[in-house]
Amino acid sequence: MSLREQFGKDVLITGWGHSRFGKLTDETLESLIVQVASDAISTAGIEPGRIDEIYVGQFNSGMMPLAFPSSLALQVSPELANVPSTRVENACASGSAAFQQGTKALLAGTAKTVLVIGAEKMTHAGADVVGAGLLGADYDMAGKPSTTGFTGLFAEVAKHYQKRYGSVSDVLGTIAAKNHRNGVDNPYAQLRKDLGEEFCRTISDKNPMVADPLRRTDCSPVSDGAAAVVLSTAPTGGTATPVRLAGFGQANDFFPAERRDPTAFEATRVSWQRALAMAGVGLEDLDFAEVHDCFTIAELLMYEAMGLTEPGHGSRAVEEGWVFKDGKLPVNVSGGLKAKGHPVGATGVSQHVLAAMQLTGTAGDMQLAGPRRAAVQNMGGVGIANYVSILEAL
């Protein structure tokens, strides 16, 4: 049973906008939000006055003085005056959290057209500010000094994984190289350079160890950027071909690290199961997936959480080529967070936009051959807040 069958109505992505990701010194949070929101409304083919509600995904966590951005989207047009607008925050999953809130407003019948925006400005802040802000998403390290920040947390995940299943250093290097290679074809990506497997696997002056066993190429960059979608219950007649949301899932894990298995993102697995069950499809029915590879170890664990491989065997998906662009389930054709960049609040919405572009044949050099169904997976913290969407071409 799909979402449409369960709720008796469609949820469609009918318009979208996406900024470049990177160090955008000439942009402000406001300018980024206005840009992508304007593009989303325009491609949806509607007047701004048709928007019933707005949801803005942003983490911030002290990286910006302005901690109240919900009304910035109203700068798009005077027609948006008095439209309800809400900031949504769930760490690095803030964008997908906003997307699901918009979806639920449509399903509840309180809105027919919703604007969802994800945005973040990070590069202006010092490394210590960004590091402390990101650590605010961890129960055990929030407010504590750290020389390795969130990288250190995922390095611990990698250490536990290697202790249990054996070294994956080379596999992580291959994942990094895959995503860098994919990122070359993404005009929005922050890092558009094919670094090759040897470089990504090797510690060097240009690829130092950040937190053992994670090298610089195993880590997503600090980024600025924004993305937006218009969600509607019916086609809006715009230039963007609509894409259907077939199912979605969310699951949260316990916050203290001692209550979680560091080698198994259990709540992530549940979010996948819930989304696939709502859509009435299996993993074999997907043509590609955009997943949350904040660090390469996260993508490796995602192969196992989604059920592509058994626990401890995620490397098989890489070694047998399943997750490459020409494999049976291409993963992160956009370059993922690793190459595209990770402006935290923007990430989840960006994943939905790029998946929609693939499903409508408008992904340019990134384009796969005729995909019909995709998954988007976005995560906050170390497997804490988890969201999955299943999208279908009409």
Side-chain angles (χ1 to χ4, degrees), residues 309-369:
T309 77
E310 293 296 317
H313 295 276
S315 57
R316 183 183 176 194
V318 178
E319 292 162 354
E320 298 192 16
W322 300 350
V323 293
F324 289 84
K325 197 169 183 178
D326 58 354
K328 69 177 185 179
L329 185 65
V331 173
N332 287 335
V333 176
S334 69
L337 287 59
K338 176 77 242 355
K340 182 181 62 178
H342 184 28
V344 179
T347 288
V349 183
S350 165
Q351 291 173 310
H352 284 84
V353 170
L354 293 172
M357 291 172 64
Q358 283 285 353
L359 292 170
T360 55
T362 58
D365 290 339
M366 294 181 284
Q367 188 65 51
L368 296 167

Side-chain angles (χ1 to χ4, degrees), residues 126-137:
D128 56 338
V129 175
V130 173
L134 295 177
L135 281 176

Side-chain angles (χ1 to χ4, degrees), residues 131 134-135 141 145-156 159 209-212 214 219 295:
L134 295 177
L135 281 176
M141 289 301 298
S146 171
T147 58
T148 56
F150 232 78
T151 308
L153 299 180
F154 275 88
E156 287 302 308
K159 287 177 183 177
M209 188 72 78
V210 179
D212 189 21
L214 301 182
C219 312
F295 301 92

Side-chain angles (χ1 to χ4, degrees), residues 35-47:
Q35 173 196 331
V36 297
S38 299
D39 289 346
I41 292 169
S42 176
T43 57
I46 61 174
E47 295 299 321

Side-chain angles (χ1 to χ4, degrees), residues 47-116:
E47 295 299 321
R50 287 268 303 276
I51 301 294
D52 298 313
E53 291 189 39
I54 301 169
Y55 291 93
V56 180
Q58 187 214 23
F59 180 43
N60 193 345
S61 190
M63 291 183 286
M64 278 201 70
L66 178 65
F68 183 42
S70 55
S71 280
L72 290 179
L74 273 57
Q75 301 293 82
V76 169
S77 169
E79 292 183 53
L80 292 176
N82 303 315
V83 172
S85 185
T86 305
R87 176 195 172 204
V88 181
E89 183 276 310
N90 220 357
C92 298
S94 296
S96 285
F99 183 92
Q100 282 202 13
Q101 290 304 305
T103 294
K104 291 172 181 178
L106 296 183
L107 295 177
T110 59
K112 292 184 178 179
T113 307
V114 173
L115 174 64
V116 178

